[in-house]
Amino acid sequence: MIKTNCAKLNTWVKMWADIMQPENVVLCDGSDAEFTRLMDECVAEGLAKKLNEKKRPNSYYFQSDPSDVARVEGRTFICSRKQEDAGPTNNWMDPKEMKRILIGKYTGCMKGRTMYVIPFSMGPLGGPISQLGVEITDSAYVVGSMKIMTRMGAGALKLIEEKNDFIPCIHSVGKPLPDGLKDAKWACAPIDDKYIVQFPEEHEIWTYGSGYGGNALLGKKCFALRIASKMAQEEGWLAEHMLILKLTKEATKETKCVCAAFPSACGKTNLAMLIPTIPGWKVETIGDDIAWMKFDEDGYLRAINPEAGFFGVAPYTSAKTNKNALDSCSKNTIFTNVGYTPDGDIWWEGIGYPCPKGTIDWKGNVVDDPESRDEDKNPVAHKNSRFAAPAANCPGIASDWESPKGVKVDAILFGGRRPNTVPLVHEAEDWAHGVFMGSIVGSEVTAAAIGLKAGVRRDPFAMLPFCGYNMGDYFQHWIDMEKLPQAKGGKHMPKIFFVNWFRRDKENPALKSEHGFLWPGYGDNSRVLAYIFDRCNGEGKTVDTPIGKVPAPGQINIEGLKSCYNEETMKAVLTVNVDEWKEEVGRIEEHYAKFAGHLPKELSDRLAILKQRLGM
Ligand code: OXD
Ligand code: MN
């Protein structure tokens, strides 16, 4: 059994080892040597491949089971004592009942396996916004990934020993190996037997049956969002599904930091690592997925990225779409479910060069004829294939990305994928209006998306799968932030904006020949960031509309854009159409009805103002 100077940890590990019955228990030190040893063991057992050392030093390739390729929202539970406290958007089960079920699953679940004990810190070691956790797992892949994604090992353990406290995170792939049974290439339990469980009142995480991503790397969605959002509510801070970027105006060297929340598949990583197309501006990355924000002693909100790596979606990451992300996985990276090329490298759809003949696809089949492959039906890399890459590899990482006290947040952005209704950018009139904007975030879902009704899928604050308590209460917490004593009168709250890179125009043939969107997106989003930067300084002209402040004509720099993007398209991309918004109000009312009894009055008031302005 392990022996640390943290009595709570020793007792906890002993208790779980007695239940799970592993063959041995290993306390992880987080060293590079440990990473290489464990990954090489996976290679020796046929669970992984080592990539070509010359092309991708110290990097490994895994293929998951085809049934274990993504987060499983249907099997994710918030087990608060009262169902009402989990709210209308979360699956719930009574915590006693859930624990009874899971203790049954966990009993003997690590037979024939090693139990790894992973001490880790979310955020820089010892920082005032950081938090400590320990994950127990029977997956070496999880240990390697946690090494990349968190500050893991001896340094975190020392802090845990000093504090005698940590957030307990329990994980098993749910596939015991009794009597010398040989391991599967990727061990996991069937879908109905997977459990991703948060106990928000106890600040505990218990997961079972999946080895993939957010289901198994418990520092990420389970801790840094679901449990941390609850801790944040209790303690007066924010744990958000937001990237953090730093914007510098090179002429004056002035900087501003922006946090931004978008639902999945809206280009969050691309925005976090954007390379500006307008001269005189620099974007640097602080985080690509999660932001923890706390007030400092002067009432400024400061943000840290609690993670140490990027767990990025691989397909369509290329030197053109996101060079910084591609460069981030040049070494020390774990790839899962991408293609494996004959020269021992990786490949995915949209990487920017053709698939080499003889590449092995994510299911282990050889690709003999890459050209004739149907990329939608039978992709070489699974659509949710991933890289776990150290953030320190990113050429655009900001020098202060690990500042323990975090960076001052000047602006918060919300956005979604909306082909109509929502303009390129609009600005909230005050904090409560900004919270209203966050509460109505949504993305258009096409009928092609499996199992979803076509229309706008609401994903408030991009937190729908990640909020660890009643989402109506979460809205209230956001409203209350500016009134907390720590906010010192709320004078320094960040400005809030709503952006939409995805507005379409069916009519314009020139645009159609581009990508059909009214706005070029990608690096050209720097033009909108520059406008937001100026607005944070009280500069730039705006026009009042029923939904908030929109840039006045000419305020967004479009110099150097292709001719199909011109003053005409800018007018269209910034339009606030009253009829479209009247329809939107109906959808918002439907969405808000779910939160009955928990919807803050400030939000229904804000909706009433909008209706009145629209003449409804
Ligand atoms: C992610 C997600 O993987 O939001 O970051 O699903
Ligand atoms: Mn995410």
Side-chain angles (χ1 to χ4, degrees), residues 522-542:
Y522 296 105
D524 288 315
N525 291 336
S526 56
R527 299 165 189 274
V528 177
L529 292 179
Y531 165 79
I532 287 170
F533 185 106
D534 290 343
R535 288 300 301 146
C536 289
N537 284 339
E539 294 162 7
K541 289 196 184 66
T542 61

Side-chain angles (χ1 to χ4, degrees), residues 221 241 268 289:
K221 304 299 190 183
H241 191 202
K268 218 161 119 203
D289 196 38

